[in-house]
């Protein structure tokens, strides 16, 4: 009888040695001896993402060895192997410092850091544009890992040059929220056509890196303030809010993606909301899980047998259908699910996926191997583009890198086993405690969860002693700049200048922080540079900024919004301190009462549900958030032209030159008995219309224009003449002793004083001013799966479908608007700002709007004004009134009260479509073999319905491109109604199959002709006014009577459309009763 021996349990030391042997075999064996990088199989290239995970695995085993006394020197060996790998990546990155410097400004693909290197020399192995190098998630993963490893006590960064470079890498990734990249799979959109897009996984990883590095000293306890990394708090917030908007989708083209697992849990832990985290994970499992792993995403052709390996991009979108249901399945994502379960304490999920993983592991004499992926070797015709339910599981076979295992999955496997065997804890693997939902930020950071009782500290700075006295008489205590000393009060532009040297390094050719303006989270702090302390007021208070600061009502609205923002988004231990500069012109005339009401509300201690506290700045020093930046070179200019001191000096000089002295009376109260100081030193504030029509200016020669200018009494008229001269002579040509552009600047200030909004908007356009927040506002619309078009109504439009550089937005606004209507340049900026804020605060207002056409919305507002009793022109309205009009036209509940024609004009201008509209158009295409045509634009049946699913945004955009051919909003809306009717007829008669191309204009013309005949037969009085007009290439009845018909009912547009559809599609064979007429919902 053979005695069965019980398997001996390994001791702790023996188990660690077993792991060491496994790591030596599966990882260390392949590490390059020079840079410590790990190559990937066939190419032999070192990829950033693979290497970071290998470094984490080595570091993890080193953490385990820390628990035993005699570690045989392996703790240090493994730590240094991990450090060598990370420093190898850092070396490869630093050799591309010039790319980092360019990318901070350009955001161009050609300036992106390369993601593949020679593992021995660090040389670049591909050209800039021959690979999808722009991978924000990979660079961010590298930064996150440096932070975690450093926090564990292992130093990766050794010199100040490296500290400066890491600071610049933060600048590189901090705009991830509006930087489309190629994502984790290096391909961009799902269609693999070389197009980048915003990826949740990239934004989430960048967010994690920023949170981990903020206020982290890269030299550890031995470092000084010079080796501390700083993160822009407003960039952090924008990444957080954009991520929450993108989720649970991975991107526009991918509803879900396996890469989301890396931000739902290990290593990023970027999704703070538990419910969203589970939604994302469940979506990945439900949609992508197979029998041999997790698919990367639906219709992923990578490594399938039908993919053409000889080309980088696919020729057409249509090829994706060939990959449906034969996508490769990746076991390593089972490991991600196990790791995430370990950090979340989800034991059932851990055991479930660990069990599934073990069935896929390939045994080896030295160490078990995790296959890179499983694939279908020979998909048959029934499988390609169809269901794999008939394909036996054994037909999927494993694939691995040539020569060695797939190191990314192998590294994850080692990490998971170390945790499962309890050789390390989740707290050791995450020393920053990012996995703790109650503390999502770095433990070394000053970030904490924001309490609901946040108190906003407010310091009121009076522009002059005179204003201070007046406000004191009304119970409002303020300080002057002299009284807040030693703290210096500056405009926000000065803060940007002060930070320009943070991370600057002459040896590396790095200039430090780009000149990006700081937002409210950065402004609501105090800053200490060397021995000087500074406070900064918001940009929209600065009169030298965009003209919105001249609108007191809008300014107060913006301040209220900022208070709500600080309450909801402040995540620092100390309180926010808001410094408000009170200018004298804010209290002029009727503005006085409005401002006093607002200040009195602040004095009572609560505003917009926000707890506030007014006091002297010195009182708030102990409770304020103060950033210490003593190591940054002190280059604060004493004579910068936008400083508050300069503004006050000018004001005092004007007062002195005018022979005015301080009066006991209040010159700002709207009392006719009291003289207004402004009226003494300035001309009359009456707003006069221009004396000359635009045509006369066009025809006048230069000499005549000079004469006309001298006679012109209105600011707007003078600006129109100067604009004409600038177009002819140039901006810097002298005029009456000064350059033309300086004269415009003077008139801009004069218009601001007079509140002449039309003149302000024109002058702002000529001066090429850009409103702060334009790019974030645009991004807010784009990330909600909208497209935005820039350009005047009736002229060519520029479509923006993904976040772009702010300079691109400015260029397109000026290029598409300035030649036709300069005032529209400013109006379009305003509109983008308003719409960007509204879509965040009330996204329901934008339901049914895929494409936001700025020029068309402005035209809708102009139409509303024209149809009202008001004789005001849109450019002459104050900004807060323009904003309110924008809100009004977006309120769809009020559209029901409009006449049918007005409603069609408004809905068409908003590009609104009914719920399920695009799904219905897709259904129509299935029955119309020849496709649908509108004004010469064909929407073909094939390959459209094969390539694009009804719910895909790509299909909706194709429909919008067809609708874009309509020239008038009301006409567009009739086409939308016609398509809804057509869909209803086909749904009721699914046997309809129309072979020819269906011309929508022909259908609409026929419906209008039926209406005309009906009017004629009834001898309707309106029949005499019937006229034919050319629309596109066909004659179309455009009499107001058809456009004025109600959408539903017996004598409605849908009734005539239904008859037209029946006549053309069914040759009149369907008998219609009154109840059969289709309705528009």
């Amino acid at each position: 009888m053979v005695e069965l021996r019980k398997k001996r349990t390994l001791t702790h030391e023996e188990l660690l040695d077993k792991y060491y042997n496994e790591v030596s075999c599966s990882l260390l064996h392949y590490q390059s001896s020079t840079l410590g990088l790990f190559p990937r199989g066939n190419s032999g290239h070192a990829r950033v993402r693979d290497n970071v995970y290998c470094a984490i695995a080595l570091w993890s085993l080193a953490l385990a060895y820390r628990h035993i006394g005699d570690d045989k020197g392996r703790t240090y060996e493994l730590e240094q192997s991990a450090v060598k790998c990370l420093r190898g990546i850092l070396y490869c990155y630093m050799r591309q410092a010039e790319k980092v410097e360019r990318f901070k400004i350009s955001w161009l693909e050609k300036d992106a850091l390369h993601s593949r290197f020679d593992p021995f020399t660090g040389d670049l192995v591909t050209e800039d544009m021959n690979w999808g190098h722009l991978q924000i998630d990979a660079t961010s993963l590298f930064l996150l890992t440096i932070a975690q490893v450093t926090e564990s006590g292992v130093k990766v960064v050794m010199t100040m040059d490296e500290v400066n470079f890491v600071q610049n890498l933060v600048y590189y990734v901090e705009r991830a929220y509006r930087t489309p990249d190629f994502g984790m799979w290096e391909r961009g959109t799902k269609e693999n056509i070389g197009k980048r897009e915003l990826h949740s996984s990239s934004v989430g990883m960048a967010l994690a890196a920023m949170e981990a590095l903020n206020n982290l000293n890269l030299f550890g306890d031995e470092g000084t303030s010079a080796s501390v990394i700083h993160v822009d708090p407003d960039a952090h917030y924008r990444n957080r809010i954009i991520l929450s908007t993108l989720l649970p989708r991975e991107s526009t083209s991918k509803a879900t993606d396996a890469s989301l697992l890396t931000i739902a849990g290990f290593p990023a832990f970027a999704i703070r909301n538990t419910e969203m985290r589970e939604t994302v994970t469940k979506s990945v499992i439900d949609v992508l899980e197979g029998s041999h792993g997790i698919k990367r995403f639906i219709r992923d052709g990578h490594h399938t047998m039908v993919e053409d390996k000889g080309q980088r991009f696919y020729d057409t979108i249509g090829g994706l259908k060939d990959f449906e249901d034969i996508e490769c399945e990746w076991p390593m994502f089972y490991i991600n699910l196990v790791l995430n379960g370990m950090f979340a304490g989800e034991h059932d999920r851990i055991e479930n996926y660990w069990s599934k993983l073990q069935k896929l592991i390939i045994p080896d004499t030295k160490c078990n191997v995790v296959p890179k992926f499983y694939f279908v070797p020979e998909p048959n015709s029934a499988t390609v583009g169809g269901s794999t339910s008939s394909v036996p599981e054994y037909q999927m076979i494993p694939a691995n890198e040539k020569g060695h295992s797939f190191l990314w999955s192998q590294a994850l496997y080692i990490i998971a086993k170390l945790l499962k065997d309890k050789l390390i804890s989740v707290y050791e693997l995450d020393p920053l405690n990012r996995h703790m939902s109650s503390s999502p930020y770095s433990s070394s950071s000053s970030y904490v969860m924001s309490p609901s009782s946040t108190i906003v500290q407010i310091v009121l700075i009076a522009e002059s002693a005179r204003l201070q006295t007046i406000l004191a008489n009304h119970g409002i205590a303020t300080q002057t700049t002299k009284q807040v000393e030693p703290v210096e009060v500056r405009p926000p532009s000065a803060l940007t200048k002060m930070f320009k040297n943070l991370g600057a390094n002459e040896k590396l050719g790095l200039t430090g922080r780009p000149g990006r303006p700081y937002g409210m989270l950065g402004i609501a702090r105090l800053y200490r540079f060397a021995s000087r302390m500074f406070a900064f007021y918001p940009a929209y208070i600065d009169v030298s900024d965009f003209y919105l600061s001249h609108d007191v009502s809008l300014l107060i609205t913006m301040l209220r919004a900022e208070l709500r923002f600080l309450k909801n988004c402040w995540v620092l231990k100390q309180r926010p301190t808001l410094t408000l500069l009170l200018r004298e012109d804010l209290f002029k005339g009727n503005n006085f009462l409005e401002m006093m009401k607002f200040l009195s509300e602040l004095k009572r201690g609560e505003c917009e549900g926000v707890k506030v506290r007014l006091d002297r700045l010195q009182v708030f020093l102990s409770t304020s958030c103060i950033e210490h930046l003593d190591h940054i070179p002190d280059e604060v200019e004493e004579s910068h032209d936008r400083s508050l001191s300069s503004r006050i000096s000018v004001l005092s000089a004007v007062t002195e030159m005018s022979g005015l002295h301080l009066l006991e009376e209040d010159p700002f109260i709207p009392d006719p008995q009291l003289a207004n100081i402004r009226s003494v030193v300035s001309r009359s504030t009456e707003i006069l219309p221009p004396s000359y029509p635009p045509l006369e200016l066009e025809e006048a020669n230069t000499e005549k224009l000079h004469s006309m200018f001298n006679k012109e009494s209105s600011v707007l008229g003078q600006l129109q003449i100067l604009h004409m001269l600038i177009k002819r002579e140039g901006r810097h040509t002298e005029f009456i002793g000064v350059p033309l552009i300086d004269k415009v600047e003077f008139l801009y200030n004069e218009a601001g004083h007079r509140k002449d909004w039309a003149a302000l908007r024109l002058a702002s356009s000529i001066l090429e001013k850009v409103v702060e927040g334009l790019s974030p506002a645009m991004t807010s619309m784009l990330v909600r799966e909208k497209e935005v078009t820039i350009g005047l109504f009736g002229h060519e439009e520029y479509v923006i479908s993904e976040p772009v550089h702010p300079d691109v937005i400015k260029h397109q606004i000026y290029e598409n608007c300035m030649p036709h209507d300069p005032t529209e340049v400013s109006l379009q900026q305003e509109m983008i700002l308003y719409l960007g804020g509204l879509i965040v605060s009330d996204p329901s207002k934008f339901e049914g709007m895929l494409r936001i056409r700025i020029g068309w919305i402005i035209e809708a507002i102009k139409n509303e004004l024209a149809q009202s009793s008001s004789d005001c022109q849109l450019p002459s309205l104050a900004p807060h009134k323009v904003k309110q009009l924008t809100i009004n036209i977006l309120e769809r509940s009020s559209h029901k009260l409009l006449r049918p024609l007005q409603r069609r004009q408004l809905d068409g201008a908003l590009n609104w479509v009914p719920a399920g509209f695009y799904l219905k158009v897709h259904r129509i295409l299935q029955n119309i073999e020849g496709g649908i045509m509108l004004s010469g634009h064909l929407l073909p049946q094939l390959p459209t319905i094969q390539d694009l699913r009804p719910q895909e945004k790509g299909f909706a955009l194709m429909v919008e491109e067809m609708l874009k051919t309509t020239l008038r909003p009301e006409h567009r809306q009739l086409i939308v109604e016609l398509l809804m009717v057509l869909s209803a007829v086909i749904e009721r008669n699914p046997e309809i199959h129309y072979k020819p191309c269906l011309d929508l204009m022909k259908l609409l013309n026929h419906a209008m002709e039926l209406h005309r005949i009906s009017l004629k037969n009834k001898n309707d009085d309106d029949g005499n006014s019937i006229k034919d007009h050319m629309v596109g290439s066909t004659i179309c009845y455009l009499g107001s009577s058809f456009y004025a018909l109600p959408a539903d009912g017996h004598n409605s547009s849908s009734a005539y459309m239904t008859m037209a559809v029946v006549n053309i599609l069914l040759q009149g064979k369907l008998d219609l009763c009154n109840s059969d007429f289709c309705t528009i919902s």
Side-chain angles (χ1 to χ4, degrees), residues 49-220:
R49 203 175 289 101
D50 297 19
N51 275 264
V52 172
Y53 281 113
C54 287
I56 295 175
L58 298 174
W59 169 61
S60 299
L61 185 55
L63 293 174
Y65 266 106
R66 287 182 179 182
H67 295 295
I68 63 175
D70 183 12
D71 65 355
K72 304 174 185 177
R74 288 174 178 171
T75 300
Y76 183 80
E77 177 193 353
L78 290 165
E79 284 179 354
Q80 293 309 304
S81 295
V83 168
K84 185 173 185 178
C85 176
L86 293 174
R87 289 187 57 77
I89 299 172
L90 182 62
Y91 169 76
C92 293
Y93 273 168
M94 290 182 71
R95 291 181 66 187
Q96 305 174 73
E98 76 285 351
K99 284 184 170 293
V100 175
E101 181 63 22
R102 292 199 303 267
F103 187 83
K104 289 188 301 184
I105 307 300
S106 71
W107 304 352
L108 295 176
E109 177 186 342
K110 66 181 181 65
D111 295 329
L113 285 169
H114 278 225
S115 59
R116 304 171 69 174
F117 317 102
D118 183 293
F120 298 96
T121 65
D123 292 341
L124 305 183
V125 292
T126 62
E127 298 296 326
D128 291 345
M129 303 300 289
N130 286 355
W131 194 257
H133 289 296
L134 181 51
Q135 302 167 32
I136 297 293
D137 75 293
T139 306
S140 300
L141 174 65
F142 169 68
L143 292 174
L144 171 63
T145 304
I146 284 182
Q148 292 278 27
V149 173
T150 301
E151 184 69 12
S152 74
V154 179
K155 295 181 181 61
V156 178
V157 175
M158 305 296 184
T159 68
M160 280 306 302
D161 291 333
E162 295 171 357
V163 171
N164 291 332
F165 186 79
V166 170
Q167 180 68 64
N168 276 269
L169 286 183
V170 171
Y171 303 146
Y172 182 92
V173 304
E174 70 179 2
R175 289 299 187 268
Y177 66 90
R178 64 185 190 206
T179 307
D181 70 345
F182 289 103
M184 186 176 288
W185 312 129
E186 306 172 333
R187 291 188 167 200
T189 62
K190 178 172 68 176
E191 296 80 16
N192 189 27
I193 55 177
K195 183 180 179 182
R196 298 179 288 153
E197 63 180 344
L198 276 184
H199 293 88
S200 293
S201 55
S202 294
V203 177
M205 198 64 74
L207 180 70
M210 292 168 67
E211 292 175 348
L213 282 170
N214 187 59
N215 284 347
L216 181 74
N217 198 314
L218 292 179
F219 290 171

Side-chain angles (χ1 to χ4, degrees), residues 837-1022:
L838 288 170
I839 202 170
V840 172
S841 61
D842 191 359
S844 64
K845 282 184 166 57
F846 295 81
E847 291 178 358
M849 295 169 57
L850 176 62
R851 180 169 285 174
I852 300 173
R853 303 173 76 172
I854 303 300
W856 280 47
I857 292 177
I858 291 175
E859 182 68 14
I861 297 175
K862 290 179 179 178
N863 288 339
E864 290 297 298
L865 280 175
Q867 294 175 21
S868 68
S869 57
S870 173
D871 58 353
C872 292
Q873 299 295 312
L874 182 60
S876 65
L877 293 179
H880 76 274
K881 293 183 179 179
V882 175
K883 181 179 181 180
Q884 188 57 53
L885 285 171
T886 306
I887 295 172
N888 292 346
I889 68 165
L890 290 173
E891 192 60 60
R892 283 200 49 78
S893 59
S894 64
H895 294 193
K896 300 176 183 179
L897 305 176
L898 301 174
R899 296 189 300 274
L901 175 58
Q902 285 181 286
R903 185 165 62 250
R904 287 189 175 104
Q905 289 174 332
L906 195 50
D907 288 344
L910 295 175
N911 266 41
W912 178 83
V913 296
F917 172 73
Y918 302 111
L919 300 178
K920 295 179 185 295
V921 176
H922 197 279
R923 179 69 181 86
I924 294 171
L925 267 185
Q926 294 175 25
N927 290 53
I928 309 295
E929 293 183 20
I932 302 171
M933 179 175 287
L934 177 62
S935 301
H937 185 102
L938 177 65
L939 181 62
Q941 183 194 59
L942 297 176
T944 306
I945 62 174
Q946 289 183 342
D947 300 347
L948 297 170
R949 299 177 178 182
Q951 66 273 20
E952 287 192 45
K953 182 181 178 183
F955 175 73
L957 292 176
M958 290 183 71
V959 177
E960 284 296 329
E961 279 301 305
M962 179 182 70
L963 293 175
K964 188 181 176 183
T965 60
T966 57
L967 302 179
R968 298 290 306 177
E970 60 271 23
H971 185 221
R972 180 190 191 278
Q973 211 56 26
L974 274 183
I975 295 297
V976 170
E977 293 177 25
L978 177 60
L979 287 168
M980 293 294 288
V981 167
L982 186 57
S983 169
V985 171
I986 290 178
E987 286 177 8
R988 296 179 188 180
N989 303 272
E991 72 281 0
I992 294 177
H993 285 280
Y994 191 74
K995 290 188 177 182
C997 173
L998 183 61
D999 192 328
L1000 295 180
M1001 286 306 305
K1002 182 178 178 181
L1003 266 180
L1004 183 58
N1005 286 337
H1006 186 42
M1008 291 179 167
E1009 177 64 16
L1010 292 173
H1011 177 236
R1012 189 188 68 81
I1013 294 172
S1014 175
L1015 288 178
K1016 184 177 180 181
N1017 292 340
K1018 294 178 182 179
N1019 294 318
D1020 194 299
D1021 293 339
D1022 290 340

Side-chain angles (χ1 to χ4, degrees), residues 365-537:
T365 54
K366 296 182 179 180
C367 57
N368 292 335
V369 175
V370 181
K372 183 178 181 180
F373 56 82
Y374 280 80
F375 68 101
V376 178
E378 295 181 0
N380 55 45
S381 58
T383 301
V384 177
S387 172
T388 56
S389 58
S390 61
V391 182
E393 287 189 4
Y394 64 80
Q395 285 195 6
M396 292 199 79
I397 62 175
N400 243 321
E401 296 287 356
K402 184 179 180 180
H404 59 75
S405 58
F406 183 45
L407 300 187
W408 180 351
S409 59
Q410 210 64 31
L412 286 175
Y413 183 54
I414 291 168
I415 297 167
K417 287 205 301 178
L418 286 169
L419 285 171
K420 199 168 190 307
D421 288 341
K422 295 182 171 52
L423 293 175
I424 59 173
S425 71
V426 293
Y427 298 99
E428 290 176 295
L429 190 57
D430 177 28
L432 292 172
N433 291 328
R434 292 193 49 76
H435 68 285
M436 301 292 288
S437 58
S438 60
S439 179
Y441 300 102
S442 164
S443 61
S444 64
S445 168
S446 58
Y447 284 137
V448 294
M449 292 301 293
S450 176
S452 59
S453 58
T454 298
I455 297 176
V456 180
Q457 303 174 156
I458 299 179
V459 178
L460 301 179
I461 304 295
E463 185 180 47
S464 64
R466 175 177 57 250
L467 177 59
Q468 181 184 40
T469 302
I470 294 166
L471 292 177
N473 291 337
H474 289 80
I476 303 297
T478 63
Q479 291 178 283
T480 62
T481 53
K482 188 72 175 174
Q483 292 168 340
V484 298
E485 291 180 352
V487 180
E488 302 174 47
V489 179
R490 295 292 177 88
S493 57
L495 179 59
T496 302
K497 292 178 182 178
M498 292 176 184
F499 267 93
K500 69 178 181 180
N501 288 319
L502 182 61
N505 188 291
E506 186 176 351
K507 288 187 289 183
L508 293 172
L510 298 172
T511 57
R513 187 180 185 276
R516 301 164 182 160
Y518 274 89
M520 183 51 63
L521 294 175
I523 294 296
R525 311 174 182 211
L526 302 180
Y527 293 85
R528 182 179 292 281
F529 291 84
S531 60
R532 304 166 66 182
M533 186 176 290
F534 298 89
F536 302 89
Y537 53 84

